[in-house]
Amino acid sequence: MNYIFGPVNSRRLGRSLGIDLFREKICSLNCIYCEVGATTLLTCERVEYAPTVAVKAEIDAFFADQERAAAVDFVTVTASGEPTLHSGLGKILAHLKQRAAKPVAVLTNGTLLWDAQVRRELAAADVVIPSLDSALPAGFRKIDRPARCLDLAKIIEGLTVFSHEFHGQIWLEILLAQGINDTDEEVAALCQAAAQMRLDRIQLNTVIRPPLEPFARPVEQARMEAVAAEFLRHDPARPVDMLSGGATQEENGADGQRTIDLGKTADRLALQAEIVEMLKRRPCTAADINRVFHAGGADRVEQLLDALIRDGLLHKRTHNGRLYYQTGPDEAHSE
């Protein structure tokens, strides 16, 4: 399928079926930490970047299979970029609510929530997860590298208005990068901005997967915990989640494994294709891949991907002492 991927195991949403509205990275930001890669079209213009009818057809095809549908906990609308840029988002969300009979989440960078039409379209979702990495103009420019059409004050105002209009859950994600937006001044400004909003939870993250820019570095755990404590000090009743933890390479996820016969060409090629589609959207370790596909352990995943590496379809990259697989050009550097 061109727009549907997964379901994948999500720490936040369980078994999540992804709806990726773009085939290239179209976004209003070009964040230094982005795991998808550089933005190919930096814009604020809402148009039909992919055929809405084609996205809806894939939704119909997937949910026609009741056994596959039963394995889904959440449907997550995202994009290799910013999903609210798609002018058909409202129609797609309405179709999902009618056809899938599953809770729907939308991952957004929040930059278009000043637009009343975008807010109306998002009203159909059950959970919206917007992001806000800096509430200071200089920090915003450094970490998110926005399109010129964006204004930070307008973005924060849009987030605030949306938070009071929306009837579902809002989880605000904040990603911190070392030396970029993790200072006391930055954190104080973020706390002040969040205080204006009706948020069900705040989710703190840092640079865990290989980023677009090598200078985007993760914040140390002790500092992340201090930032979490500061948000809790401002609002003790609002939960703060730490998303920056992760499974180690050795975690093989033995539960629910399936036996893969690497000698069966059709099965092997089909699984490899599924893995490549997932890696187009985010770099993963062998353990990450195994948890999604129950391939029999990280060692077996590495075996499976060796041929794809030799063919140049994938490459390895070490980040924070962990080995990741990803698509795109081989940047040859480790961090």
Side-chain angles (χ1 to χ4, degrees):
M1 290 187 173
N2 291 321
Y3 306 104
I4 288 181
F5 65 97
V8 298
N9 292 316
S10 167
R11 284 174 292 177
R12 296 185 278 189
L13 300 169
R15 290 285 289 171
S16 172
L17 183 72
I19 311 290
D20 186 340
L21 300 184
F22 304 148
R23 299 297 291 169
E24 57 182 322
K25 192 182 173 197
I26 301 166
C27 197
S28 51
L29 304 175
N30 189 29
C31 301
I32 63 172
Y33 58 80
C34 187
E35 58 200 31
V36 178
T39 298
T40 57
L41 177 60
L42 188 63
T43 184
C44 297
E45 185 180 7
R46 297 194 77 210
V47 299
E48 192 179 28
Y49 291 104
T52 301
V53 66
V55 178
K56 291 166 67 175
E58 287 198 7
I59 292 168
D60 289 342
F62 184 92
F63 285 99
D65 185 332
Q66 293 185 1
E67 186 175 347
R68 283 199 302 180
V72 173
D73 298 319
F74 248 93
V75 179
T76 304
V77 178
T78 179
S80 298
E82 173 49 39
T84 61
L85 286 170
H86 195 299
S87 59
L89 176 64
K91 294 178 180 178
I92 292 166
L93 290 177
H95 192 72
L96 273 171
K97 294 300 294 183
Q98 179 183 29
R99 187 73 182 86
K102 299 285 181 177
V104 174
V106 178
L107 305 183
T108 172
N109 63 24
T111 56
L112 270 66
L113 292 178
W114 54 265
D115 185 333
Q117 177 62 29
V118 171
R119 298 197 302 269
R120 283 192 291 270
E121 291 175 17
L122 286 174
D126 299 285
V127 178
V128 173
I129 307 177
S131 61
L132 181 67
D133 299 325
S134 177
L136 298 176
F140 179 54
R141 290 192 298 270
K142 284 180 183 178
I143 191 163
D144 292 329
R145 300 189 300 197
R148 291 183 180 180
C149 43
L150 294 179
D151 176 77
L152 180 59
K154 194 174 180 180
I155 291 169
I156 293 173
E157 181 183 0
L159 273 164
T160 302
V161 171
F162 176 72
S163 73
H164 293 286
E165 290 179 349
F166 185 61
H167 297 296
Q169 292 269 312
I170 303 176
W171 307 344
L172 181 69
E173 182 171 356
I174 298 168
L175 188 141
L176 302 177
Q178 187 180 108
I180 306 291
N181 65 332
D182 61 339
T183 65
D184 289 344
E185 183 184 14
E186 287 277 0
V187 172
L190 284 165
C191 286
Q192 184 178 7
Q196 306 171 45
M197 304 173 191
R198 182 201 65 80
L199 303 172
D200 294 283
R201 56 201 325 115
I202 287 176
Q203 302 194 309
L204 293 181
N205 210 344
T206 190
V207 187
I208 295 300
R209 299 179 187 275
L212 172 59
E213 303 291 359
F215 59 81
R217 306 293 301 176
V219 174
E220 293 183 357
Q221 185 68 18
R223 177 57 179 161
M224 294 292 291
E225 291 171 359
V227 172
E230 187 65 10
F231 277 103
L232 286 170
R233 186 179 72 80
H234 278 76
D235 188 345
R238 182 182 56 206
V240 178
D241 303 328
M242 300 283 283
L243 301 183
S244 54
T248 64
Q249 184 77 14
E250 289 72 32
E251 290 176 0
N252 285 333
D255 292 342
Q257 287 184 358
R258 63 188 182 192
T259 301
I260 296 175
D261 185 351
L262 297 180
K264 291 184 177 179
T265 302
D267 290 350
R268 184 179 71 253
L269 292 178
L271 181 57
Q272 286 173 330
E274 287 184 68
I275 292 172
V276 169
E277 282 301 308
M278 184 175 77
L279 295 180
K280 286 178 181 178
R281 296 169 174 93
R282 62 163 46 183
C284 294
T285 66
D288 293 335
I289 295 167
N290 183 65
R291 276 190 299 278
V292 173
F293 296 103
H294 305 296
D299 291 344
R300 187 173 286 269
V301 168
E302 290 171 359
Q303 271 186 285
L304 192 66
L305 300 186
D306 278 346
L308 300 178
I309 292 170
R310 288 194 300 271
D311 292 342
L313 295 174
L314 299 179
H315 66 272
K316 298 178 183 179
R317 181 174 173 186
T318 301
H319 177 69
N320 278 354
R322 302 178 72 194
L323 182 64
Y324 287 85
Y325 293 86
Q326 62 184 85
T327 59
D330 188 349
E331 298 174 21
H333 63 269
S334 295
E335 299 142 29

